[in-house]
Amino acid sequence: MNKHELKDLLHDWTHEYKFHPERRWRFDHAFVSLKVAVEYEGGIWTGGRHTRAIGYAKDCEKYNAAVKLGWKVLRYTTNNRLEEVLADMVEIDQRLLYRETKEDE
């Protein structure tokens, strides 16, 4: 990832982004222009909310609603470093740009 790619991504990086028009749901982070959400699943080693039945079911509802609204949702654990997340964003951005270029031809 080069310096310019990183700068462009961080410019569009939004924390606690409310994505749903009716629900109070928020993404941990969002790249709004790409419609890519980043969600961190905490407490996976300690039986936290995301791994208990009701929390897992509510997460599924939220993520499915996001996909229906055109979002791509990437899920990470707290073990993932920011560099890994940003590298994934660069890859997605490049794929979307390539697809847009092909559609314009």
Side-chain angles (χ1 to χ4, degrees):
M1 170 181 346
N2 72 41
K3 189 169 49 173
H4 298 292
E5 290 170 325
L6 181 59
K7 183 179 177 186
D8 289 344
L9 283 174
L10 290 176
H11 175 71
D12 199 29
W13 173 276
T14 304
H15 301 281
E16 294 295 320
Y17 181 75
K18 185 180 180 299
F19 72 93
H20 199 277
E22 298 168 7
R23 302 287 301 261
R24 292 183 179 182
W25 287 322
R26 296 178 185 275
F27 294 131
D28 293 331
H29 307 289
F31 292 88
V32 180
S33 65
L34 298 177
K35 282 193 106 169
V36 175
V38 173
E39 285 284 289
Y40 281 100
E41 309 298 344
I44 63 170
W45 304 111
T46 60
R49 179 217 175 272
H50 296 286
T51 60
R52 292 192 304 264
I54 191 71
Y56 187 84
K58 288 183 182 219
D59 284 347
C60 288
E61 180 185 6
K62 173 184 173 179
Y63 300 150
N64 289 339
V67 170
K68 290 176 185 177
L69 292 172
W71 285 87
K72 296 160 207 67
V73 180
L74 299 176
R75 299 171 63 195
Y76 295 92
T77 69
T78 53
N79 293 347
N80 295 104
R81 295 185 340 266
L82 179 60
E83 292 82 11
E84 294 173 279
V85 175
L86 292 175
D88 288 347
M89 294 300 104
V90 169
E91 182 181 333
I92 289 169
D93 191 32
Q94 289 172 344
R95 286 182 185 179
L96 291 174
L97 288 173
Y98 177 77
R99 186 171 63 200
E100 288 173 6
T101 303
K102 285 293 187 184
E103 290 173 357
D104 290 343
E105 292 178 356

